């Protein structure tokens, strides 16, 4: 039975003799990528575990296969009882879990909580949507953009960010050289096409999107647009997340204004931010702004991440302790929160690093 299951794989390998011709999108050193993945993305990794390299886009088995054949393979696989209720075991689309995680694990982000849930739920429950879902996360580092991307991945896919249906691109690491933009364009298009062929509901995450070359965004723009298909492939079930710090200053200003005028942070509404974000994103230096992504109105939702305050940092610290099975006392949480730097100089209201690296920092404050 086991061998039988491997048959199509052997078949595929013989057809695609160039399978082992590994063509990663850029020669990112494994070590460096692991470092980023484990530290910034806070993936579950041990120092020597190189699992994370699977995140580096690679040429793989399916591209070039007729889609019909893939469907037949799927049916055959299902006939062996390997299919799930959803039709695809890799996809869980757990909206209840998404709502719960956004509510319980994300701190100080009432707007992101509401917008992300609404956008993802609307998209998942409407299989006839006429374009992929495109969200743009904005805010300072440490405010939870990556964290929310992980929460989305964890609830939509059985294997979370490690799923073969999730692809993470970190602009400065995958596309470091401006002179290679034309090469990257081809590779990125091919990677996106391959992924979507293999998994129509692929989640593409572009971290540090402010550093993406405009040419790169424009190269993938057709995939995000309202087309039935591009070269015979249908991209309408794909999800694109762009994470950037564009507009971070504007968001912080609005939050500070609210505080100065004695209003509740939770009363900040999308209307207070959205047009400023859009304007900022259009004006900002760098790829994101000059690309057609913004002018072409392809972003479905701008998602603002507010700067975090002392009380939010404490909640992050509490989560980090609980995740290690330690019940922290209030004084310890205060110590952790006090060790962060707060800005602006006068008000000392916002943590300059948000909740970034709190899980690492708590090592120094074991209760
Ligand atoms: C990638 O980097 C390694 C070492 O860093 C080097 O040996 C290898 O030739 C590089 N590959 C390409 C295709 O540049
Ligand atoms: C969805 O997530 C919730 C909360 O995490 C969990 O209790 C539930 O079992 C999940 N449902 C499925 C179908 O995985």
């Amino acid at each position: 039975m086991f061998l039988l299951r491997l048959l199509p794989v052997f078949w595929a390998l013989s057809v695609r003799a160039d399978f082992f011709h590994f063509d990663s999108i850029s020669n990112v050193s494994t070590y460096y990528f692991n470092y980023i993945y484990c530290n910034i993305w806070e993936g579950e990794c041990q120092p020597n575990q190189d699992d994370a390299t699977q995140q580096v886009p690679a040429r793989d088995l399916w591209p070039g296969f007729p889609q019909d054949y893939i469907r037949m393979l799927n049916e055959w696989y299902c006939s062996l009882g390997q299919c799930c209720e959803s039709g695809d075991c890799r996809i869980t689309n757990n909206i209840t879990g998404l709502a719960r995680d956004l509510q319980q694990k994300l701190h100080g982000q009432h707007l992101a909580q509401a917008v992300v849930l609404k956008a993802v739920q609307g998209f998942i429950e409407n299989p006839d949507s006429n374009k992929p879902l495109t969200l743009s996360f904005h805010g300072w580092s440490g405010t939870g953009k990556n964290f929310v991307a992980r929460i989305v991945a964890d609830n939509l896919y059985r294997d979370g960010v490690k799923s073969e249906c999730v692809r993470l691109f970190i602009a400065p690491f995958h596309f470091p050289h401006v002179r290679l933009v034309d090469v990257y364009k081809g590779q990125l298009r091919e990677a996106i096409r391959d992924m979507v062929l293999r998994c129509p509901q692929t989640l593409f995450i572009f971290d540090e999107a402010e550093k993406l070359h405009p040419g790169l965004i424009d190269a993938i723009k057709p995939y995000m647009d309202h087309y039935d298909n591009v070269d015979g492939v249908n991209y309408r079930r794909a999800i694109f997340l762009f994470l950037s710090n564009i507009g971070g200053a504007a968001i912080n200003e609005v939050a500070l204004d609210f505080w100065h005028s004695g209003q509740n942070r939770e009363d900040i509404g999308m209307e207070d931010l959205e047009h400023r974000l859009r304007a900022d994103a259009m004006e900002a230096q760098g790829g994101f702004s000059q690309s057609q992504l913004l002018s072409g109105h392809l972003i479905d939702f701008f998602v603002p991440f507010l700067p975090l305050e002392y009380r939010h940092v404490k909640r992050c610290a509490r989560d980090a302790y609980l995740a290690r099975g330690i019940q922290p006392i209030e004084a310890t949480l205060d110590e952790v929160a006090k060790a962060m730097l707060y800005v602006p100089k006068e008000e000392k209201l916002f943590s300059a690093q948000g909740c970034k690296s709190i899980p690492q920092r708590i090592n120094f404050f074991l209760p």
Side-chain angles (χ1 to χ4, degrees):
M1 198 58 172
F2 178 67
L3 272 180
L4 193 63
R5 220 177 281 165
L6 282 178
L7 260 178
V9 175
F10 291 139
W11 187 84
L13 283 177
S14 59
V15 171
R16 300 279 304 185
D18 58 345
F19 171 59
F20 293 105
H21 178 80
F22 203 82
D23 202 2
S24 75
I25 224 153
S26 69
N27 197 8
V28 183
S29 94
T30 305
Y31 171 81
Y32 213 23
F33 192 83
N34 272 337
Y35 177 80
I36 297 291
Y37 180 75
C38 301
N39 288 280
I40 299 187
W41 272 77
E42 290 169 8
E44 301 100 32
C45 28
Q46 318 291 317
N48 286 322
Q49 181 185 343
D50 59 7
D51 255 13
T53 51
Q54 78 177 55
Q55 296 290 323
V56 180
R59 187 188 282 274
D60 46 32
L61 224 51
W62 304 114
F65 274 24
Q67 265 187 312
D68 263 2
Y69 181 73
I70 294 176
R71 192 175 42 78
M72 269 166 50
L73 241 185
N74 276 344
E75 280 170 12
W76 173 78
Y77 199 58
C78 288
S79 70
L80 296 177
Q82 292 297 315
C83 276
C84 301
E85 224 173 294
S86 63
D88 185 336
C89 304
R90 300 168 300 183
I91 299 193
T92 48
N93 286 350
N94 187 346
I95 297 296
T96 325
L98 178 64
R100 209 179 75 169
D101 283 354
L102 287 171
Q103 195 62 45
Q104 295 181 353
K105 297 184 182 169
L106 182 66
H107 303 304
Q109 304 297 356
H110 67 286
L111 290 170
Q113 260 163 8
V115 177
V116 170
L117 180 62
K118 182 178 126 192
V120 173
Q121 181 167 23
F123 181 74
I124 297 295
E125 291 175 357
N126 174 18
D128 301 323
S129 73
N130 62 1
K131 73 184 278 305
L133 177 65
T134 309
L135 304 181
S136 187
F137 291 4
H138 299 264
W140 254 356
S141 81
T143 49
K145 302 187 298 289
N146 301 18
F147 188 58
V148 170
R150 283 188 73 94
I151 289 180
V152 170
D154 283 344
N155 285 289
L156 298 193
Y157 304 93
R158 182 190 56 197
D159 303 323
V161 281
K162 289 188 174 172
S163 169
E164 52 182 9
C165 297
V166 176
R167 199 60 107 202
L168 165 65
F169 297 103
I170 302 173
F173 296 97
H174 287 117
F175 316 110
H177 306 296
V178 175
R179 67 189 156 81
L180 293 181
V181 161
D182 286 328
V183 178
Y184 296 152
K185 276 186 193 172
Q187 289 175 333
L188 182 57
R189 281 202 202 103
E190 196 182 345
I192 292 180
R193 184 187 150 88
D194 291 355
M195 289 288 294
V196 169
L197 269 176
R198 250 171 49 146
C199 182
Q201 187 191 302
T202 290
L203 172 65
F204 295 100
I205 304 169
F206 291 87
D207 195 10
E208 302 195 42
E210 71 276 5
K211 297 187 183 123
L212 276 175
H213 190 280
L216 272 180
I217 299 180
D218 291 337
I220 59 173
K221 177 180 166 274
Y223 305 129
M224 289 176 257
D225 213 334
H226 304 69
Y227 296 122
D228 278 347
N229 66 64
V230 182
D231 299 332
V233 181
N234 182 340
Y235 294 90
R236 289 173 166 188
R237 295 316 297 158
I239 303 174
F240 292 86
L241 301 186
F242 293 92
L243 281 47
S244 75
N245 59 18
I246 296 169
I251 297 172
N252 296 355
E253 270 170 38
V254 172
L256 194 61
D257 287 349
F258 263 68
W259 184 81
H260 273 303
S261 62
Q263 287 172 279
N264 257 331
R265 164 194 182 94
E266 285 73 24
D267 292 334
I268 300 176
M270 281 305 281
E271 64 283 0
D272 298 311
L273 284 165
E274 202 170 359
H275 71 277
R276 277 184 80 162
L277 263 183
R278 211 179 272 273
D280 249 43
M282 293 287 262
E283 279 164 22
Q285 293 296 311
F288 213 58
S289 45
Q290 288 144 28
S291 79
Q292 297 173 39
L293 201 59
L294 292 159
S295 48
H297 302 288
L298 294 179
I299 304 277
D300 297 307
F301 295 91
F302 286 87
V303 185
F305 284 75
L306 304 175
L308 297 177
E309 299 173 11
Y310 184 88
R311 58 195 163 119
H312 305 121
V313 176
K314 274 177 74 175
R315 283 185 224 158
C316 293
R318 181 190 307 277
D319 289 349
Y321 280 116
L322 292 179
R324 295 213 194 154
I326 299 169
Q327 188 75 47
I329 55 167
E330 205 63 18
T332 311
L333 300 179
D334 276 313
E335 267 188 81
V336 177
K338 274 188 194 135
M340 303 295 277
L341 173 72
Y342 292 85
V343 292
K345 250 193 191 132
E346 282 174 23
E347 293 87 349
K348 295 208 186 320
L349 186 60
F350 304 129
S351 162
Q353 298 265 347
C355 277
K356 202 177 197 118
S357 39
I358 290 288
Q360 287 88 331
R361 280 166 181 268
I362 64 168
N363 290 333
F364 301 104
F365 301 97
L366 285 174

